[in-house]
Amino acid sequence: TVVMGAFHSGPHEQEFRQLADKTGFSLEQIETLHKRFKQLSQDEDTLQRENFDNVPNLDCNPIKTQIIEAFFDKRNFEKDGAGTVQEITFEQFLTVMGHFRPPELRMNDEQRDKVRKEKLRFLFNMYDTDNDGTITLEEYKHVVEELLSRSSTLEKKTASAIADAAMLEVASITMGHMEPDEFYEGITFDHFVKILNGLEIETRMNIHFLYVDTTTLCK
């Protein structure tokens, strides 16, 4: 966890102020994340996949590959983006980091719903790797397991059992409404939003692998 200090004005001040307006991160948070970006990229202006290999906290994460890929997935930082990129700028890095930030307390219900939907879309994209608009039941199980394993009150085994049950429940609901000759194509985003309705995701979607606890990244 990084302790956020006071913002020090410098050569990046103008750029950081614009990024603060765009992303909702404070100037102090942007300064901290910029230092981490430069550490990871070995002082380059762009970050590549192999730069993430030097992050020890990420090695034990069961969805390490999906998390890294999320940073290079155009859908996560470009409107109507598709495909992936080989390297990302600091602004793109910051945009993706924003998906892991919990919502601010003073949001109204409409804003909170919007943020939740954006987070769910980000999560859905992590598993919809071929961008066909659906994820498989097995992939959905991984989503639930990962979210539940963030809960300190649940053991890994329990999280896995609940995820299994959730997968079977979704299978029975979706397949129960199908005609015998219908082909099961997977879970769509709208369905994904409905079935995760009862799961509190906002505070669980955080990553510690950048030595920055994203739950503290609130204005």
Side-chain angles (χ1 to χ4, degrees), residues 148-199:
L148 291 175
S149 66
R150 295 264 170 244
S151 166
S152 54
T153 54
L154 282 180
E155 285 181 11
K156 188 84 186 147
K157 218 186 268 183
T158 315
S160 186
I162 294 172
D164 275 335
M167 181 179 75
L168 291 170
E169 185 188 4
V170 172
S172 64
I173 293 167
T174 48
M175 292 177 187
H177 293 300
M178 286 167 58
E179 298 300 319
D181 58 347
E182 238 182 308
F183 177 66
Y184 178 68
E185 290 177 357
I187 299 165
T188 64
F189 178 64
D190 286 343
H191 195 191
F192 184 72
V193 171
K194 279 183 196 139
I195 54 188
L196 281 183
N197 187 33
L199 192 61

Short mmCIF file of all heavy atoms in Angstrom, two decimals, residues 148-199:
data_model
loop_
_atom_site.label_atom_id
_atom_site.label_comp_id
_atom_site.label_asym_id
_atom_site.label_seq_id
_atom_site.Cartn_x
_atom_site.Cartn_y
_atom_site.Cartn_z
N LEU A 148 -15.14 -13.47 -5.21
CA LEU A 148 -15.37 -13.97 -3.86
C LEU A 148 -14.08 -14.17 -3.08
O LEU A 148 -14.03 -14.00 -1.87
CB LEU A 148 -16.13 -15.30 -3.91
CG LEU A 148 -17.58 -15.24 -4.37
CD1 LEU A 148 -18.15 -16.65 -4.49
CD2 LEU A 148 -18.44 -14.42 -3.43
N SER A 149 -13.00 -14.52 -3.78
CA SER A 149 -11.73 -14.76 -3.08
C SER A 149 -11.15 -13.47 -2.52
O SER A 149 -10.24 -13.48 -1.72
CB SER A 149 -10.72 -15.44 -4.01
OG SER A 149 -10.37 -14.57 -5.05
N ARG A 150 -11.70 -12.34 -2.96
CA ARG A 150 -11.26 -11.04 -2.41
C ARG A 150 -11.88 -10.80 -1.03
O ARG A 150 -11.52 -9.87 -0.34
CB ARG A 150 -11.70 -9.90 -3.34
CG ARG A 150 -11.03 -9.96 -4.68
CD ARG A 150 -9.83 -9.06 -4.70
NE ARG A 150 -9.07 -9.30 -5.92
CZ ARG A 150 -7.85 -9.78 -5.95
NH1 ARG A 150 -7.24 -10.09 -4.83
NH2 ARG A 150 -7.20 -9.95 -7.08
N SER A 151 -12.86 -11.62 -0.67
CA SER A 151 -13.53 -11.44 0.61
C SER A 151 -12.73 -12.12 1.72
O SER A 151 -12.43 -13.30 1.64
CB SER A 151 -14.94 -12.04 0.55
OG SER A 151 -15.46 -12.14 1.84
N SER A 152 -12.37 -11.35 2.73
CA SER A 152 -11.53 -11.89 3.81
C SER A 152 -12.28 -12.93 4.65
O SER A 152 -11.68 -13.73 5.35
CB SER A 152 -11.04 -10.76 4.71
OG SER A 152 -12.15 -10.01 5.17
N THR A 153 -13.61 -12.93 4.57
CA THR A 153 -14.39 -13.85 5.42
C THR A 153 -14.57 -15.22 4.77
O THR A 153 -15.04 -16.15 5.40
CB THR A 153 -15.78 -13.26 5.72
OG1 THR A 153 -16.40 -12.94 4.48
CG2 THR A 153 -15.68 -12.02 6.58
N LEU A 154 -14.21 -15.33 3.50
CA LEU A 154 -14.40 -16.61 2.81
C LEU A 154 -13.08 -17.31 2.53
O LEU A 154 -12.14 -16.69 2.06
CB LEU A 154 -15.10 -16.37 1.46
CG LEU A 154 -16.60 -16.12 1.46
CD1 LEU A 154 -17.06 -15.92 0.03
CD2 LEU A 154 -17.37 -17.26 2.08
N GLU A 155 -13.05 -18.59 2.81
CA GLU A 155 -11.85 -19.35 2.45
C GLU A 155 -11.89 -19.64 0.96
O GLU A 155 -12.94 -19.66 0.34
CB GLU A 155 -11.85 -20.68 3.21
CG GLU A 155 -11.50 -20.54 4.67
CD GLU A 155 -11.49 -21.90 5.36
OE1 GLU A 155 -11.55 -22.93 4.65
OE2 GLU A 155 -11.43 -21.92 6.59
N LYS A 156 -10.72 -19.93 0.41
CA LYS A 156 -10.61 -20.20 -1.03
C LYS A 156 -11.53 -21.36 -1.44
O LYS A 156 -12.19 -21.31 -2.46
CB LYS A 156 -9.14 -20.54 -1.34
CG LYS A 156 -8.81 -20.67 -2.79
CD LYS A 156 -8.53 -19.31 -3.41
CE LYS A 156 -8.35 -19.47 -4.91
NZ LYS A 156 -8.79 -18.35 -5.69
N LYS A 157 -11.56 -22.40 -0.60
CA LYS A 157 -12.38 -23.58 -0.91
C LYS A 157 -13.86 -23.22 -0.97
O LYS A 157 -14.60 -23.66 -1.84
CB LYS A 157 -12.15 -24.65 0.18
CG LYS A 157 -12.13 -26.07 -0.37
CD LYS A 157 -12.07 -27.08 0.74
CE LYS A 157 -10.63 -27.45 1.08
NZ LYS A 157 -10.56 -28.48 2.12
N THR A 158 -14.29 -22.39 -0.02
CA THR A 158 -15.70 -21.95 0.03
C THR A 158 -16.02 -21.12 -1.21
O THR A 158 -17.07 -21.29 -1.83
CB THR A 158 -15.95 -21.08 1.29
OG1 THR A 158 -15.34 -21.73 2.40
CG2 THR A 158 -17.42 -20.90 1.55
N ALA A 159 -15.11 -20.20 -1.55
CA ALA A 159 -15.31 -19.35 -2.74
C ALA A 159 -15.48 -20.22 -3.98
O ALA A 159 -16.35 -19.98 -4.82
CB ALA A 159 -14.13 -18.39 -2.91
N SER A 160 -14.66 -21.26 -4.07
CA SER A 160 -14.72 -22.16 -5.22
C SER A 160 -16.05 -22.91 -5.26
O SER A 160 -16.66 -23.07 -6.33
CB SER A 160 -13.55 -23.15 -5.14
OG SER A 160 -13.52 -23.93 -6.29
N ALA A 161 -16.52 -23.36 -4.10
CA ALA A 161 -17.80 -24.10 -4.03
C ALA A 161 -18.97 -23.21 -4.43
O ALA A 161 -19.87 -23.62 -5.17
CB ALA A 161 -18.00 -24.64 -2.62
N ILE A 162 -18.95 -21.95 -3.95
CA ILE A 162 -20.03 -21.01 -4.30
C ILE A 162 -19.99 -20.73 -5.81
O ILE A 162 -21.02 -20.66 -6.47
CB ILE A 162 -19.90 -19.69 -3.50
CG1 ILE A 162 -20.13 -19.97 -2.01
CG2 ILE A 162 -20.91 -18.65 -4.00
CD1 ILE A 162 -19.85 -18.78 -1.10
N ALA A 163 -18.77 -20.57 -6.33
CA ALA A 163 -18.62 -20.31 -7.77
C ALA A 163 -19.17 -21.47 -8.60
O ALA A 163 -19.83 -21.28 -9.61
CB ALA A 163 -17.16 -20.04 -8.11
N ASP A 164 -18.90 -22.70 -8.15
CA ASP A 164 -19.44 -23.90 -8.83
C ASP A 164 -20.96 -23.87 -8.84
O ASP A 164 -21.60 -24.14 -9.85
CB ASP A 164 -18.97 -25.18 -8.12
CG ASP A 164 -17.60 -25.61 -8.60
OD1 ASP A 164 -17.25 -25.27 -9.74
OD2 ASP A 164 -16.88 -26.29 -7.84
N ALA A 165 -21.52 -23.56 -7.67
CA ALA A 165 -22.98 -23.51 -7.54
C ALA A 165 -23.56 -22.42 -8.44
O ALA A 165 -24.59 -22.61 -9.09
CB ALA A 165 -23.36 -23.24 -6.08
N ALA A 166 -22.88 -21.28 -8.48
CA ALA A 166 -23.34 -20.16 -9.31
C ALA A 166 -23.34 -20.56 -10.78
O ALA A 166 -24.26 -20.24 -11.53
CB ALA A 166 -22.43 -18.95 -9.10
N MET A 167 -22.30 -21.29 -11.19
CA MET A 167 -22.19 -21.73 -12.57
C MET A 167 -23.35 -22.68 -12.92
O MET A 167 -23.98 -22.55 -13.97
CB MET A 167 -20.85 -22.44 -12.79
CG MET A 167 -20.64 -22.90 -14.21
SD MET A 167 -19.02 -23.69 -14.44
CE MET A 167 -19.29 -25.27 -13.65
N LEU A 168 -23.63 -23.62 -12.03
CA LEU A 168 -24.72 -24.57 -12.27
C LEU A 168 -26.07 -23.88 -12.30
O LEU A 168 -26.95 -24.22 -13.09
CB LEU A 168 -24.71 -25.66 -11.18
CG LEU A 168 -23.52 -26.62 -11.23
CD1 LEU A 168 -23.49 -27.50 -9.99
CD2 LEU A 168 -23.57 -27.48 -12.49
N GLU A 169 -26.22 -22.88 -11.42
CA GLU A 169 -27.48 -22.14 -11.37
C GLU A 169 -27.73 -21.41 -12.69
O GLU A 169 -28.81 -21.46 -13.27
CB GLU A 169 -27.43 -21.12 -10.22
CG GLU A 169 -28.75 -20.38 -10.03
CD GLU A 169 -28.62 -19.25 -9.01
OE1 GLU A 169 -27.51 -19.00 -8.52
OE2 GLU A 169 -29.63 -18.62 -8.74
N VAL A 170 -26.69 -20.75 -13.18
CA VAL A 170 -26.80 -20.03 -14.46
C VAL A 170 -27.11 -21.00 -15.59
O VAL A 170 -27.95 -20.75 -16.45
CB VAL A 170 -25.50 -19.24 -14.78
CG1 VAL A 170 -25.55 -18.67 -16.17
CG2 VAL A 170 -25.34 -18.11 -13.77
N ALA A 171 -26.45 -22.15 -15.56
CA ALA A 171 -26.68 -23.16 -16.60
C ALA A 171 -28.13 -23.62 -16.60
O ALA A 171 -28.77 -23.70 -17.65
CB ALA A 171 -25.75 -24.35 -16.36
N SER A 172 -28.66 -23.86 -15.41
CA SER A 172 -30.05 -24.36 -15.35
C SER A 172 -31.04 -23.28 -15.77
O SER A 172 -32.03 -23.55 -16.43
CB SER A 172 -30.37 -24.87 -13.95
OG SER A 172 -30.31 -23.81 -13.02
N ILE A 173 -30.76 -22.01 -15.40
CA ILE A 173 -31.68 -20.92 -15.77
C ILE A 173 -31.66 -20.72 -17.28
O ILE A 173 -32.69 -20.70 -17.95
CB ILE A 173 -31.29 -19.60 -15.06
CG1 ILE A 173 -31.52 -19.72 -13.55
CG2 ILE A 173 -32.10 -18.42 -15.61
CD1 ILE A 173 -30.88 -18.61 -12.73
N THR A 174 -30.44 -20.59 -17.85
CA THR A 174 -30.36 -20.28 -19.28
C THR A 174 -30.82 -21.46 -20.12
O THR A 174 -31.57 -21.31 -21.07
CB THR A 174 -28.92 -19.90 -19.69
OG1 THR A 174 -28.02 -20.87 -19.15
CG2 THR A 174 -28.54 -18.54 -19.19
N MET A 175 -30.40 -22.65 -19.74
CA MET A 175 -30.76 -23.81 -20.57
C MET A 175 -32.20 -24.25 -20.35
O MET A 175 -32.81 -24.86 -21.22
CB MET A 175 -29.78 -24.96 -20.29
CG MET A 175 -28.38 -24.63 -20.80
SD MET A 175 -27.19 -25.90 -20.43
CE MET A 175 -25.67 -25.11 -20.94
N GLY A 176 -32.74 -23.90 -19.19
CA GLY A 176 -34.13 -24.23 -18.92
C GLY A 176 -35.11 -23.50 -19.82
O GLY A 176 -36.21 -23.97 -20.08
N HIS A 177 -34.67 -22.33 -20.33
CA HIS A 177 -35.55 -21.54 -21.21
C HIS A 177 -35.30 -21.83 -22.69
O HIS A 177 -35.83 -21.16 -23.55
CB HIS A 177 -35.32 -20.04 -20.95
CG HIS A 177 -35.76 -19.62 -19.58
ND1 HIS A 177 -37.06 -19.75 -19.15
CD2 HIS A 177 -35.07 -19.08 -18.54
CE1 HIS A 177 -37.15 -19.30 -17.90
NE2 HIS A 177 -35.97 -18.91 -17.51
N MET A 178 -34.45 -22.81 -22.96
CA MET A 178 -34.09 -23.06 -24.35
C MET A 178 -34.93 -24.17 -24.97
O MET A 178 -35.38 -25.09 -24.28
CB MET A 178 -32.60 -23.45 -24.44
CG MET A 178 -31.69 -22.26 -24.26
SD MET A 178 -29.97 -22.75 -24.00
CE MET A 178 -29.64 -23.67 -25.47
N GLU A 179 -35.11 -24.06 -26.27
CA GLU A 179 -35.78 -25.13 -27.02
C GLU A 179 -34.79 -26.29 -27.18
O GLU A 179 -33.57 -26.05 -27.17
CB GLU A 179 -36.19 -24.61 -28.41
CG GLU A 179 -37.19 -23.46 -28.38
CD GLU A 179 -38.50 -23.84 -27.68
OE1 GLU A 179 -38.98 -24.97 -27.90
OE2 GLU A 179 -39.02 -23.02 -26.90
N PRO A 180 -35.29 -27.52 -27.34
CA PRO A 180 -34.39 -28.67 -27.45
C PRO A 180 -33.33 -28.53 -28.55
O PRO A 180 -32.22 -29.00 -28.41
CB PRO A 180 -35.33 -29.84 -27.75
CG PRO A 180 -36.66 -29.39 -27.23
CD PRO A 180 -36.69 -27.90 -27.38
N ASP A 181 -33.70 -27.88 -29.66
CA ASP A 181 -32.75 -27.79 -30.77
C ASP A 181 -31.93 -26.48 -30.75
O ASP A 181 -31.18 -26.20 -31.67
CB ASP A 181 -33.48 -27.93 -32.12
CG ASP A 181 -34.56 -26.86 -32.29
OD1 ASP A 181 -34.89 -26.19 -31.28
OD2 ASP A 181 -35.07 -26.70 -33.42
N GLU A 182 -32.12 -25.70 -29.69
CA GLU A 182 -31.38 -24.43 -29.60
C GLU A 182 -29.95 -24.67 -29.16
O GLU A 182 -29.68 -25.55 -28.35
CB GLU A 182 -32.06 -23.51 -28.57
CG GLU A 182 -32.51 -22.17 -29.16
CD GLU A 182 -33.12 -21.30 -28.06
OE1 GLU A 182 -34.02 -21.76 -27.35
OE2 GLU A 182 -32.68 -20.15 -27.94
N PHE A 183 -29.04 -23.87 -29.69
CA PHE A 183 -27.62 -24.03 -29.34
C PHE A 183 -27.24 -23.03 -28.24
O PHE A 183 -27.53 -21.85 -28.34
CB PHE A 183 -26.76 -23.80 -30.60
CG PHE A 183 -25.28 -23.86 -30.33
CD1 PHE A 183 -24.69 -25.06 -29.94
CD2 PHE A 183 -24.49 -22.73 -30.46
CE1 PHE A 183 -23.32 -25.12 -29.69
CE2 PHE A 183 -23.12 -22.79 -30.20
CZ PHE A 183 -22.53 -23.99 -29.82
N TYR A 184 -26.61 -23.52 -27.18
CA TYR A 184 -26.22 -22.62 -26.08
C TYR A 184 -24.97 -21.86 -26.48
O TYR A 184 -23.91 -22.43 -26.70
CB TYR A 184 -25.96 -23.42 -24.80
CG TYR A 184 -25.52 -22.53 -23.67
CD1 TYR A 184 -26.39 -21.61 -23.10
CD2 TYR A 184 -24.21 -22.58 -23.19
CE1 TYR A 184 -25.99 -20.76 -22.09
CE2 TYR A 184 -23.80 -21.74 -22.17
CZ TYR A 184 -24.69 -20.84 -21.63
OH TYR A 184 -24.28 -20.00 -20.63
N GLU A 185 -25.11 -20.55 -26.58
CA GLU A 185 -23.99 -19.75 -27.09
C GLU A 185 -23.16 -19.08 -26.00
O GLU A 185 -22.16 -18.45 -26.28
CB GLU A 185 -24.51 -18.68 -28.06
CG GLU A 185 -25.00 -19.30 -29.35
CD GLU A 185 -25.59 -18.28 -30.31
OE1 GLU A 185 -25.66 -17.10 -29.92
OE2 GLU A 185 -25.97 -18.67 -31.41
N GLY A 186 -23.59 -19.18 -24.75
CA GLY A 186 -22.82 -18.54 -23.69
C GLY A 186 -23.59 -17.40 -23.05
O GLY A 186 -24.71 -17.09 -23.43
N ILE A 187 -22.96 -16.77 -22.07
CA ILE A 187 -23.61 -15.70 -21.31
C ILE A 187 -23.33 -14.35 -21.97
O ILE A 187 -22.18 -13.99 -22.20
CB ILE A 187 -23.06 -15.70 -19.86
CG1 ILE A 187 -23.36 -17.04 -19.18
CG2 ILE A 187 -23.63 -14.55 -19.05
CD1 ILE A 187 -22.57 -17.26 -17.91
N THR A 188 -24.40 -13.62 -22.24
CA THR A 188 -24.23 -12.29 -22.84
C THR A 188 -23.98 -11.27 -21.74
O THR A 188 -24.19 -11.55 -20.56
CB THR A 188 -25.49 -11.85 -23.61
OG1 THR A 188 -26.57 -11.74 -22.65
CG2 THR A 188 -25.87 -12.84 -24.70
N PHE A 189 -23.57 -10.05 -22.11
CA PHE A 189 -23.29 -9.02 -21.10
C PHE A 189 -24.54 -8.66 -20.30
O PHE A 189 -24.49 -8.53 -19.08
CB PHE A 189 -22.70 -7.76 -21.75
CG PHE A 189 -22.44 -6.67 -20.75
CD1 PHE A 189 -21.50 -6.85 -19.74
CD2 PHE A 189 -23.14 -5.48 -20.79
CE1 PHE A 189 -21.26 -5.86 -18.79
CE2 PHE A 189 -22.91 -4.48 -19.85
CZ PHE A 189 -21.96 -4.67 -18.85
N ASP A 190 -25.69 -8.53 -20.97
CA ASP A 190 -26.93 -8.17 -20.26
C ASP A 190 -27.29 -9.23 -19.21
O ASP A 190 -27.71 -8.92 -18.10
CB ASP A 190 -28.11 -8.04 -21.24
CG ASP A 190 -28.00 -6.74 -22.04
OD1 ASP A 190 -27.24 -5.85 -21.61
OD2 ASP A 190 -28.65 -6.63 -23.09
N HIS A 191 -27.09 -10.48 -19.59
CA HIS A 191 -27.37 -11.59 -18.68
C HIS A 191 -26.36 -11.56 -17.51
O HIS A 191 -26.71 -11.77 -16.35
CB HIS A 191 -27.29 -12.90 -19.44
CG HIS A 191 -27.89 -14.05 -18.69
ND1 HIS A 191 -27.75 -15.35 -19.06
CD2 HIS A 191 -28.62 -14.07 -17.55
CE1 HIS A 191 -28.36 -16.14 -18.18
NE2 HIS A 191 -28.90 -15.37 -17.25
N PHE A 192 -25.12 -11.28 -17.85
CA PHE A 192 -24.03 -11.18 -16.87
C PHE A 192 -24.36 -10.13 -15.80
O PHE A 192 -24.19 -10.36 -14.60
CB PHE A 192 -22.76 -10.79 -17.63
CG PHE A 192 -21.50 -10.73 -16.81
CD1 PHE A 192 -20.90 -11.90 -16.35
CD2 PHE A 192 -20.88 -9.52 -16.54
CE1 PHE A 192 -19.71 -11.86 -15.63
CE2 PHE A 192 -19.70 -9.47 -15.81
CZ PHE A 192 -19.11 -10.64 -15.36
N VAL A 193 -24.88 -8.98 -16.23
CA VAL A 193 -25.27 -7.90 -15.31
C VAL A 193 -26.37 -8.38 -14.37
O VAL A 193 -26.34 -8.15 -13.17
CB VAL A 193 -25.74 -6.64 -16.09
CG1 VAL A 193 -26.34 -5.60 -15.16
CG2 VAL A 193 -24.58 -6.04 -16.87
N LYS A 194 -27.36 -9.10 -14.94
CA LYS A 194 -28.49 -9.58 -14.14
C LYS A 194 -28.07 -10.61 -13.10
O LYS A 194 -28.46 -10.55 -11.95
CB LYS A 194 -29.55 -10.21 -15.06
CG LYS A 194 -30.46 -9.18 -15.71
CD LYS A 194 -31.53 -9.83 -16.56
CE LYS A 194 -32.15 -8.81 -17.48
NZ LYS A 194 -32.40 -9.30 -18.83
N ILE A 195 -27.23 -11.57 -13.52
CA ILE A 195 -26.89 -12.65 -12.60
C ILE A 195 -25.90 -12.22 -11.52
O ILE A 195 -25.82 -12.84 -10.47
CB ILE A 195 -26.38 -13.93 -13.33
CG1 ILE A 195 -25.22 -13.61 -14.25
CG2 ILE A 195 -27.50 -14.61 -14.06
CD1 ILE A 195 -24.78 -14.76 -15.14
N LEU A 196 -25.16 -11.14 -11.76
CA LEU A 196 -24.26 -10.64 -10.72
C LEU A 196 -24.93 -9.54 -9.89
O LEU A 196 -24.28 -8.86 -9.11
CB LEU A 196 -22.95 -10.12 -11.33
CG LEU A 196 -21.93 -11.19 -11.73
CD1 LEU A 196 -20.67 -10.54 -12.25
CD2 LEU A 196 -21.58 -12.11 -10.58
N ASN A 197 -26.22 -9.40 -10.06
CA ASN A 197 -26.98 -8.34 -9.41
C ASN A 197 -26.79 -8.32 -7.89
O ASN A 197 -26.63 -7.26 -7.29
CB ASN A 197 -28.48 -8.52 -9.75
CG ASN A 197 -29.29 -7.35 -9.25
OD1 ASN A 197 -28.80 -6.22 -9.21
ND2 ASN A 197 -30.51 -7.60 -8.84
N GLY A 198 -26.78 -9.49 -7.26
CA GLY A 198 -26.69 -9.52 -5.81
C GLY A 198 -25.27 -9.48 -5.26
O GLY A 198 -25.07 -9.40 -4.06
N LEU A 199 -24.27 -9.52 -6.14
CA LEU A 199 -22.89 -9.57 -5.67
C LEU A 199 -22.28 -8.18 -5.63
O LEU A 199 -22.29 -7.45 -6.60
CB LEU A 199 -22.08 -10.48 -6.61
CG LEU A 199 -20.70 -10.89 -6.13
CD1 LEU A 199 -20.79 -11.68 -4.82
CD2 LEU A 199 -20.01 -11.75 -7.17
#
